[in-house]
Coordinates of all heavy atoms in Angstrom, one line a residue:
M12 N 0.9 -1.2 0.0 CA 0.0 0.0 0.0 C 0.9 1.2 0.0 O 1.8 1.3 0.8 CB -0.9 0.0 1.3 CG -1.7 1.2 1.4 SD -2.7 1.1 2.9 CE -4.3 1.3 2.3
Q13 N 0.6 2.2 -0.9 CA 1.4 3.4 -0.9 C 1.0 4.3 0.3 O -0.1 4.3 0.8 CB 1.0 4.2 -2.2 CG 1.9 3.8 -3.4 CD 1.7 4.8 -4.5 OE1 0.6 5.2 -4.8 NE2 2.8 5.3 -5.1
H14 N 2.0 5.1 0.6 CA 1.8 6.0 1.7 C 2.5 7.3 1.5 O 3.3 7.4 0.6 CB 2.2 5.5 3.1 CG 3.7 5.3 3.1 ND1 4.3 4.2 2.6 CD2 4.7 6.1 3.6 CE1 5.7 4.3 2.8 NE2 5.9 5.5 3.3
L15 N 2.0 8.3 2.2 CA 2.7 9.7 2.1 C 3.6 9.8 3.3 O 3.4 9.1 4.3 CB 1.6 10.8 2.1 CG 0.6 10.7 1.1 CD1 -0.5 11.7 1.4 CD2 1.2 11.0 -0.3
D16 N 4.5 10.7 3.3 CA 5.3 10.9 4.5 C 4.6 11.9 5.5 O 3.5 12.3 5.1 CB 6.7 11.4 4.2 CG 6.7 12.9 3.6 OD1 5.8 13.6 3.9 OD2 7.7 13.1 2.9
G17 N 5.1 12.0 6.6 CA 4.4 12.8 7.7 C 4.1 14.3 7.3 O 3.3 14.8 7.9
N18 N 4.8 14.8 6.3 CA 4.5 16.1 5.9 C 3.1 16.3 5.4 O 2.5 17.4 5.5 CB 5.5 16.6 4.8 CG 6.9 16.8 5.3 OD1 7.0 17.4 6.3 ND2 7.8 16.2 4.7
A19 N 2.5 15.2 5.0 CA 1.0 15.3 4.6 C 0.1 15.6 5.8 O -1.1 16.0 5.6 CB 0.6 13.9 4.0
L20 N 0.6 15.5 6.9 CA -0.2 15.8 8.2 C -0.3 17.3 8.4 O -1.1 17.7 9.2 CB 0.4 15.1 9.4 CG 0.4 13.6 9.4 CD1 1.2 13.1 10.5 CD2 -1.0 13.2 9.5
A21 N 0.6 18.1 7.8 CA 0.6 19.6 8.1 C -0.7 20.2 8.0 O -1.2 20.9 8.9 CB 1.6 20.2 7.2
G22 N -1.4 20.0 6.9 CA -2.8 20.6 6.8 C -3.8 20.2 7.8 O -4.3 20.9 8.5
P23 N -4.0 18.9 7.8 CA -5.1 18.4 8.7 C -4.8 18.6 10.2 O -5.7 19.0 10.9 CB -5.0 16.8 8.5 CG -4.5 16.7 7.1 CD -3.5 17.8 6.9
L24 N -3.5 18.5 10.6 CA -3.2 18.8 12.0 C -3.3 20.3 12.4 O -3.6 20.6 13.4 CB -1.8 18.2 12.4 CG -1.9 16.7 12.5 CD1 -0.5 16.2 12.9 CD2 -2.9 16.1 13.4
A25 N -2.9 21.1 11.4 CA -3.0 22.6 11.6 C -4.4 23.0 12.0 O -4.7 23.8 12.9 CB -2.4 23.4 10.5
E26 N -5.3 22.4 11.3 CA -6.7 22.7 11.5 C -7.2 22.1 12.9 O -7.8 22.7 13.7 CB -7.6 22.0 10.4 CG -9.1 22.3 10.7 CD -10.0 21.7 9.6 OE1 -9.4 21.2 8.6 OE2 -11.2 21.7 9.8
F27 N -6.7 20.8 13.1 CA -7.1 20.1 14.3 C -6.6 20.9 15.6 O -7.3 20.9 16.5 CB -6.5 18.7 14.3 CG -7.0 17.9 15.5 CD1 -8.3 17.2 15.4 CD2 -6.3 17.8 16.6 CE1 -8.8 16.6 16.4 CE2 -6.8 17.0 17.7 CZ -8.0 16.4 17.6
F28 N -5.4 21.4 15.5 CA -4.8 22.1 16.8 C -5.2 23.6 16.9 O -4.8 24.2 17.8 CB -3.4 21.9 16.8 CG -3.0 20.4 17.3 CD1 -2.5 19.5 16.4 CD2 -3.2 20.0 18.5 CE1 -2.2 18.3 16.8 CE2 -3.0 18.8 19.0 CZ -2.4 17.8 18.1
A29 N -6.0 24.1 15.8 CA -6.3 25.5 15.9 C -7.7 25.7 16.5 O -8.6 26.1 16.0 CB -6.3 26.1 14.5
F30 N -7.8 25.2 17.7 CA -9.1 25.3 18.5 C -8.9 25.5 19.9 O -7.7 25.3 20.4 CB -10.0 24.1 18.2 CG -9.4 22.8 18.7 CD1 -9.6 22.4 20.0 CD2 -8.5 22.1 18.0 CE1 -9.1 21.2 20.6 CE2 -7.9 20.9 18.5 CZ -8.2 20.5 19.7
D31 N -9.9 25.9 20.7 CA -9.8 26.0 22.1 C -9.8 24.6 22.7 O -10.8 23.9 22.8 CB -10.9 26.8 22.6 CG -11.0 27.0 24.1 OD1 -10.0 26.4 24.8 OD2 -11.9 27.6 24.7
V32 N -8.6 24.1 23.0 CA -8.6 22.7 23.5 C -9.3 22.4 24.7 O -9.8 21.3 24.9 CB -7.1 22.3 23.7 CG1 -6.5 23.0 24.9 CG2 -6.9 20.8 23.8
T33 N -9.7 23.4 25.5 CA -10.5 23.2 26.7 C -11.9 22.7 26.3 O -12.6 22.2 27.2 CB -10.6 24.4 27.6 OG1 -11.1 25.4 26.9 CG2 -9.1 24.7 28.1
M34 N -12.3 23.0 25.1 CA -13.6 22.7 24.7 C -13.7 21.4 24.0 O -14.8 20.9 23.6 CB -14.3 23.8 23.7 CG -14.4 25.1 24.5 SD -15.4 25.0 26.0 CE -17.0 24.6 25.4
A35 N -12.5 20.8 23.7 CA -12.5 19.5 23.0 C -13.1 18.5 24.0 O -13.0 18.5 25.2 CB -11.1 19.1 22.7
V36 N -13.8 17.4 23.5 CA -14.3 16.4 24.3 C -13.5 15.1 24.2 O -13.1 14.7 23.1 CB -15.7 16.1 23.8 CG1 -16.4 15.0 24.6 CG2 -16.6 17.4 23.9
A37 N -13.2 14.5 25.4 CA -12.5 13.3 25.4 C -13.2 12.2 26.3 O -13.9 12.6 27.2 CB -11.1 13.6 26.0
K38 N -12.9 11.0 25.9 CA -13.4 9.9 26.8 C -12.4 9.3 27.6 O -11.3 9.0 27.2 CB -13.9 8.7 25.9 CG -14.6 7.6 26.6 CD -15.2 6.6 25.6 CE -15.7 5.5 26.4 NZ -16.3 4.5 25.5
C39 N -12.6 9.2 28.9 CA -11.7 8.7 29.9 C -11.7 7.2 29.7 O -12.7 6.5 29.6 CB -12.1 9.0 31.3 SG -11.1 8.1 32.6
E40 N -10.5 6.6 29.6 CA -10.3 5.2 29.4 C -10.5 4.4 30.6 O -10.6 3.2 30.6 CB -9.0 4.8 28.7 CG -9.0 5.3 27.3 CD -7.7 4.9 26.5 OE1 -6.7 4.7 27.2 OE2 -7.7 5.0 25.3
G41 N -10.6 5.1 31.8 CA -10.8 4.5 33.0 C -12.2 4.2 33.4 O -12.6 3.1 33.6
C42 N -13.0 5.3 33.4 CA -14.4 5.2 33.7 C -15.4 5.4 32.6 O -16.6 5.2 32.8 CB -14.7 6.2 34.8 SG -14.7 7.9 34.3
G43 N -14.9 5.8 31.4 CA -15.8 5.9 30.3 C -16.5 7.3 30.3 O -17.3 7.5 29.4
S44 N -16.2 8.2 31.3 CA -16.8 9.5 31.2 C -16.4 10.3 30.0 O -15.2 10.2 29.5 CB -16.3 10.2 32.4 OG -16.7 11.6 32.4
I45 N -17.3 10.9 29.4 CA -17.1 11.8 28.2 C -17.4 13.2 28.6 O -18.5 13.6 29.0 CB -18.1 11.3 27.0 CG1 -17.8 9.9 26.7 CG2 -17.9 12.3 25.9 CD1 -18.7 9.3 25.6
A46 N -16.3 14.1 28.5 CA -16.5 15.4 29.0 C -15.5 16.3 28.3 O -14.4 15.8 27.8 CB -16.3 15.5 30.5
E47 N -15.8 17.7 28.4 CA -14.8 18.6 27.8 C -13.6 18.6 28.8 O -13.6 18.3 30.0 CB -15.3 20.0 27.9 CG -16.6 20.2 27.2 CD -17.8 20.1 28.1 OE1 -17.7 19.6 29.2 OE2 -18.8 20.7 27.8
L48 N -12.4 18.9 28.2 CA -11.1 19.0 29.0 C -11.3 20.0 30.0 O -10.6 20.0 31.1 CB -10.0 19.2 28.1 CG -9.5 18.0 27.2 CD1 -8.4 18.4 26.3 CD2 -9.2 16.8 28.1
A49 N -12.1 21.0 29.8 CA -12.3 22.1 30.8 C -12.8 21.5 32.1 O -12.7 22.1 33.2 CB -13.3 23.1 30.4
R50 N -13.5 20.3 32.1 CA -14.0 19.6 33.3 C -12.9 18.8 34.1 O -13.2 18.2 35.1 CB -15.2 18.8 33.0 CG -16.4 19.7 32.6 CD -17.5 18.8 32.4 NE -18.7 19.6 32.0 CZ -19.9 19.1 32.0 NH1 -20.2 17.9 32.4 NH2 -20.9 19.9 31.7
A51 N -11.8 18.7 33.5 CA -10.7 17.9 34.1 C -10.2 18.5 35.3 O -10.3 19.7 35.5 CB -9.7 17.5 33.1
M52 N -9.5 17.7 36.1 CA -8.8 18.3 37.3 C -7.3 18.5 36.8 O -6.6 17.5 36.4 CB -8.9 17.3 38.5 CG -10.3 17.1 38.9 SD -10.5 16.0 40.3 CE -9.9 14.5 39.7
V53 N -6.7 19.6 37.1 CA -5.4 20.0 36.7 C -4.5 20.2 37.9 O -4.9 21.0 38.8 CB -5.4 21.2 35.7 CG1 -3.9 21.6 35.3 CG2 -6.2 21.0 34.5
Y54 N -3.4 19.5 37.9 CA -2.4 19.6 39.1 C -1.1 20.1 38.5 O -0.2 19.3 38.1 CB -2.2 18.3 39.7 CG -3.5 17.7 40.2 CD1 -4.4 16.9 39.5 CD2 -3.8 18.0 41.6 CE1 -5.5 16.4 40.0 CE2 -5.0 17.5 42.1 CZ -5.8 16.7 41.3 OH -7.1 16.2 41.9
P55 N -0.9 21.4 38.5 CA 0.4 21.9 38.0 C 1.5 21.8 39.2 O 1.2 21.8 40.3 CB 0.1 23.4 37.8 CG -1.1 23.8 38.5 CD -1.8 22.5 38.8
S56 N 2.7 21.5 38.7 CA 3.8 21.4 39.6 C 5.1 21.8 38.9 O 5.1 22.1 37.7 CB 4.0 20.0 40.1 OG 4.6 19.2 39.1
G57 N 6.1 21.9 39.6 CA 7.4 22.4 39.0 C 7.9 21.4 38.0 O 8.5 21.7 37.0
A58 N 7.6 20.1 38.1 CA 8.0 19.1 37.1 C 7.2 19.0 35.9 O 7.6 18.4 34.9 CB 8.1 17.7 37.8
G59 N 6.0 19.5 36.0 CA 5.1 19.4 34.9 C 3.6 19.5 35.4 O 3.3 19.7 36.6
T60 N 2.7 19.3 34.5 CA 1.3 19.3 34.8 C 0.6 18.0 34.5 O 0.8 17.4 33.5 CB 0.7 20.4 33.9 OG1 1.2 21.7 34.2 CG2 -0.9 20.6 34.2
V61 N -0.2 17.6 35.5 CA -0.9 16.3 35.4 C -2.4 16.6 35.3 O -2.9 17.4 36.1 CB -0.7 15.4 36.6 CG1 -1.5 14.1 36.5 CG2 0.9 15.0 36.7
V62 N -3.0 16.1 34.3 CA -4.4 16.3 34.1 C -5.2 15.0 34.4 O -4.9 14.0 33.8 CB -4.7 16.8 32.6 CG1 -6.2 17.0 32.3 CG2 -3.9 18.0 32.2
R63 N -6.2 15.1 35.3 CA -6.9 13.9 35.7 C -8.4 13.9 35.3 O -8.9 15.1 35.3 CB -6.7 13.6 37.2 CG -5.3 13.4 37.6 CD -5.2 13.1 39.1 NE -3.9 12.7 39.5 CZ -3.5 11.4 39.5 NH1 -4.3 10.4 39.1 NH2 -2.3 11.0 39.8
C64 N -9.0 12.9 35.2 CA -10.4 12.8 34.8 C -11.2 13.3 36.0 O -10.9 13.1 37.2 CB -10.8 11.3 34.7 SG -12.6 11.0 34.5
G65 N -12.1 14.3 35.7 CA -12.9 14.9 36.7 C -13.9 13.9 37.4 O -14.4 14.2 38.5
S66 N -14.1 12.7 36.9 CA -15.0 11.8 37.4 C -14.3 10.7 38.3 O -14.7 10.4 39.4 CB -15.8 11.0 36.3 OG -16.6 11.9 35.7
C67 N -13.2 10.2 37.8 CA -12.6 9.1 38.5 C -11.1 9.4 38.9 O -10.5 8.6 39.7 CB -12.6 7.8 37.7 SG -11.3 7.8 36.3
G68 N -10.5 10.4 38.5 CA -9.2 10.8 38.8 C -8.0 10.1 38.1 O -6.9 10.4 38.3
R69 N -8.4 9.3 37.0 CA -7.4 8.7 36.3 C -6.6 9.8 35.5 O -7.1 10.8 35.1 CB -8.0 7.7 35.3 CG -7.0 7.0 34.4 CD -7.7 6.1 33.4 NE -6.8 5.5 32.5 CZ -6.7 4.2 32.3 NH1 -7.4 3.4 33.0 NH2 -5.8 3.7 31.4
V70 N -5.3 9.5 35.3 CA -4.5 10.5 34.6 C -4.9 10.4 33.1 O -4.9 9.4 32.5 CB -3.0 10.2 34.7 CG1 -2.1 11.1 33.8 CG2 -2.5 10.3 36.2
L71 N -5.2 11.6 32.6 CA -5.6 11.8 31.2 C -4.4 12.2 30.3 O -4.3 11.7 29.2 CB -6.7 12.7 30.9 CG -8.1 12.4 31.7 CD1 -9.0 13.5 31.5 CD2 -8.6 11.1 31.1
M72 N -3.7 13.0 30.9 CA -2.6 13.6 30.1 C -1.5 14.3 31.0 O -1.9 14.6 32.2 CB -3.0 14.6 29.0 CG -2.9 16.0 29.2 SD -3.4 17.1 27.9 CE -5.1 16.8 27.7
T73 N -0.3 14.3 30.6 CA 0.8 15.0 31.3 C 1.4 16.0 30.3 O 1.6 15.7 29.2 CB 1.8 14.1 31.9 OG1 2.3 13.3 30.8 CG2 1.2 13.2 32.9
L74 N 1.8 17.2 30.9 CA 2.5 18.2 30.0 C 3.7 18.5 30.9 O 3.7 18.8 32.0 CB 1.6 19.4 30.0 CG 0.2 19.2 29.4 CD1 -0.9 19.4 30.4 CD2 0.0 20.1 28.3
V75 N 4.9 18.5 30.1 CA 6.1 18.9 30.6 C 6.7 20.0 29.8 O 6.7 19.8 28.5 CB 7.0 17.8 30.8 CG1 8.4 18.2 31.3 CG2 6.5 16.7 31.6
E76 N 7.2 21.0 30.3 CA 7.8 22.1 29.6 C 9.2 22.5 30.0 O 9.4 22.5 31.2 CB 6.9 23.4 29.7 CG 5.5 23.3 29.1 CD 4.8 24.5 29.2 OE1 5.1 25.6 28.5 OE2 3.8 24.6 30.0
S77 N 10.1 22.8 29.1 CA 11.3 23.4 29.4 C 11.4 24.7 28.8 O 10.4 25.2 28.1 CB 12.5 22.5 29.0 OG 12.6 22.5 27.6
E78 N 12.5 25.4 28.8 CA 12.6 26.6 28.3 C 12.4 26.6 26.8 O 11.7 27.6 26.2 CB 14.0 27.3 28.6 CG 14.1 28.7 28.4 CD 15.4 29.3 29.0 OE1 15.6 29.1 30.1 OE2 16.2 29.8 28.2
D79 N 12.8 25.7 26.0 CA 12.7 25.6 24.6 C 11.9 24.4 24.0 O 11.9 24.3 22.8 CB 14.1 25.7 23.9 CG 14.9 24.5 24.2 OD1 14.6 23.8 25.2 OD2 15.9 24.2 23.6
R80 N 11.3 23.6 24.9 CA 10.6 22.4 24.4 C 9.4 22.1 25.3 O 9.3 22.6 26.4 CB 11.5 21.2 24.3 CG 12.6 21.3 23.4 CD 13.4 20.1 23.5 NE 14.7 20.3 22.8 CZ 15.5 19.4 22.4 NH1 15.2 18.1 22.6 NH2 16.6 19.7 21.8
A81 N 8.4 21.4 24.7 CA 7.3 21.0 25.5 C 6.9 19.6 25.0 O 7.1 19.2 23.9 CB 6.2 21.9 25.3
W82 N 6.4 18.8 26.0 CA 6.0 17.4 25.8 C 4.6 17.3 26.2 O 4.2 17.8 27.3 CB 6.9 16.4 26.4 CG 8.4 16.5 26.0 CD1 8.9 15.6 25.0 CD2 9.4 17.3 26.4 NE1 10.2 16.0 24.8 CE2 10.6 17.0 25.7 CE3 9.5 18.3 27.3 CZ2 11.8 17.6 26.0 CZ3 10.7 18.9 27.6 CH2 11.8 18.6 26.9
I83 N 3.8 16.7 25.4 CA 2.4 16.3 25.9 C 2.3 14.8 25.7 O 2.6 14.2 24.6 CB 1.4 17.1 25.1 CG1 1.5 18.5 25.2 CG2 0.0 16.6 25.5 CD1 0.6 19.3 24.2
R84 N 1.8 14.1 26.7 CA 1.5 12.7 26.6 C 0.1 12.4 27.0 O -0.4 12.8 28.0 CB 2.5 12.0 27.5 CG 2.3 10.4 27.4 CD 3.3 9.7 28.2 NE 3.2 8.3 27.9 CZ 4.0 7.4 28.3 NH1 4.9 7.7 29.2 NH2 3.8 6.2 28.1
F85 N -0.6 11.8 26.0 CA -2.0 11.4 26.3 C -2.0 10.0 26.8 O -1.7 9.1 26.0 CB -2.8 11.5 25.0 CG -2.9 12.9 24.4 CD1 -2.0 13.3 23.4 CD2 -3.7 13.9 25.0 CE1 -2.0 14.7 22.9 CE2 -3.7 15.2 24.5 CZ -2.9 15.5 23.4
T86 N -2.3 9.8 28.0 CA -2.2 8.5 28.6 C -3.5 7.8 28.9 O -3.5 6.6 28.9 CB -1.4 8.5 29.9 OG1 -2.0 9.5 30.8 CG2 0.1 9.0 29.7
G87 N -4.5 8.5 29.2 CA -5.7 7.8 29.7 C -7.0 8.2 29.0 O -8.0 8.1 29.6
M88 N -6.8 8.7 27.8 CA -8.0 9.1 27.1 C -8.1 8.5 25.7 O -7.1 8.3 25.1 CB -8.2 10.7 27.0 CG -7.1 11.3 26.2 SD -7.3 13.1 25.9 CE -6.9 13.7 27.5
G89 N -9.3 8.3 25.2 CA -9.4 7.9 23.8 C -9.3 9.1 22.9 O -8.6 10.1 23.2
A90 N -9.9 9.0 21.7 CA -9.8 10.0 20.8 C -10.3 11.3 21.3 O -11.3 11.4 22.1 CB -10.5 9.6 19.5
I91 N -9.8 12.5 20.9 CA -10.3 13.8 21.2 C -11.3 14.2 20.2 O -10.9 14.1 19.0 CB -9.1 14.8 21.4 CG1 -8.2 14.3 22.5 CG2 -9.7 16.2 21.6 CD1 -7.0 15.2 22.6
E92 N -12.5 14.6 20.5 CA -13.5 15.1 19.6 C -13.5 16.6 19.5 O -13.6 17.2 20.6 CB -14.8 14.6 20.0 CG -15.9 15.1 19.1 CD -17.3 14.6 19.6 OE1 -17.5 13.3 19.7 OE2 -18.1 15.5 19.9
V93 N -13.4 17.2 18.4 CA -13.4 18.6 18.1 C -14.6 18.8 17.2 O -14.6 18.3 16.1 CB -12.2 19.2 17.5 CG1 -12.2 20.6 17.3 CG2 -11.0 18.8 18.5
R94 N -15.6 19.6 17.6 CA -16.7 19.9 16.7 C -16.4 21.2 15.9 O -16.0 22.2 16.5 CB -18.0 20.0 17.6 CG -18.3 18.7 18.2 CD -19.6 18.7 18.8 NE -19.8 17.4 19.5 CZ -20.8 17.1 20.3 NH1 -21.7 18.0 20.5 NH2 -20.9 15.9 20.8
R95 N -16.6 21.0 14.7 CA -16.3 22.2 13.8 C -17.5 23.1 13.7 O -18.6 22.7 13.5 CB -15.9 21.7 12.4 CG -14.7 20.9 12.3 CD -14.5 20.4 10.9 NE -13.2 19.8 10.8 CZ -12.9 18.9 9.9 NH1 -13.8 18.4 9.0 NH2 -11.6 18.4 9.8
G96 N -17.2 24.4 13.9 CA -18.2 25.5 13.7 C -19.4 25.5 14.6 O -20.3 26.2 14.4
A97 N -19.3 24.7 15.6 CA -20.5 24.8 16.6 C -19.9 24.6 18.0 O -18.9 24.0 18.2 CB -21.5 23.6 16.3
P98 N -20.7 25.2 19.0 CA -20.1 25.1 20.4 C -20.3 23.6 20.8 O -21.2 22.9 20.4 CB -21.1 26.0 21.1 CG -22.1 26.4 20.2 CD -21.7 26.1 18.8
V99 N -19.4 23.1 21.6 CA -19.5 21.8 22.1 C -20.5 21.7 23.2 O -20.5 22.5 24.1 CB -18.1 21.3 22.6 CG1 -18.1 20.0 23.2 CG2 -17.1 21.4 21.5
V100 N -21.4 20.7 23.0 CA -22.4 20.4 24.0 C -22.0 19.1 24.7 O -21.9 18.1 24.1 CB -23.8 20.4 23.4 CG1 -24.8 20.1 24.4 CG2 -24.1 21.7 22.6
P101 N -21.8 19.2 26.0 CA -21.4 18.0 26.7 C -22.5 16.9 26.7 O -23.7 17.2 26.7 CB -21.3 18.4 28.2 CG -21.9 19.8 28.3 CD -22.0 20.3 26.9
E102 N -22.1 15.7 26.5 CA -23.0 14.6 26.5 C -23.3 14.1 27.9 O -22.5 14.1 28.8 CB -22.5 13.4 25.7 CG -22.2 13.8 24.2 CD -21.7 12.7 23.4 OE1 -21.8 11.5 23.8 OE2 -21.0 12.9 22.4
G103 N -24.5 13.6 28.2 CA -24.9 13.1 29.4 C -25.1 14.1 30.4 O -25.0 14.2 31.5
Ligands
ZN3 ZN1 -12.5 8.7 34.5

């Protein structure tokens, strides 16, 4: 099967990351809760930031920043849903 190199992601990912991430909806792989990231519990610290599910406390993502780099790891969530052109309405 033919494939493109990663440069083909520039267009689709530029659109995907050009949104208010707090309004994106994610499913917790621990409890199945589906909610906007704005509802998550955020624990900032000197070593980085840990984002936990607002329902069960499972780690959803970690963010680590240095002066010239940043790392984001999605550990406990499924796909992130971004609704185009309409406000996100929480399910449930
Ligand atoms: Zn959860």
Side-chain angles (χ1 to χ4, degrees):
M12 174 183 240
Q13 271 195 315
H14 67 275
L15 304 172
D16 69 25
N18 289 311
L20 294 170
L24 288 183
E26 179 182 355
F27 188 81
F28 286 107
F30 62 91
D31 178 1
V32 70
T33 62
M34 296 306 292
V36 175
K38 180 178 182 179
C39 173
E40 292 182 341
C42 70
S44 172
I45 298 172
E47 305 97 335
L48 288 176
R50 293 186 176 192
M52 300 182 292
V53 179
Y54 299 89
S56 75
T60 299
V61 176
V62 179
R63 292 182 175 274
C64 173
S66 296
C67 73
R69 181 184 175 123
V70 174
L71 297 175
M72 103 175 64
T73 54
L74 305 111
V75 176
E76 294 180 69
S77 72
E78 198 167 298
D79 63 343
R80 296 180 192 195
W82 296 264
I83 300 173
R84 183 171 185 179
F85 299 98
T86 54
M88 68 173 72
I91 297 173
E92 177 184 304
V93 179
R94 296 187 182 174
R95 295 176 168 157
V99 174
V100 178
E102 297 179 26

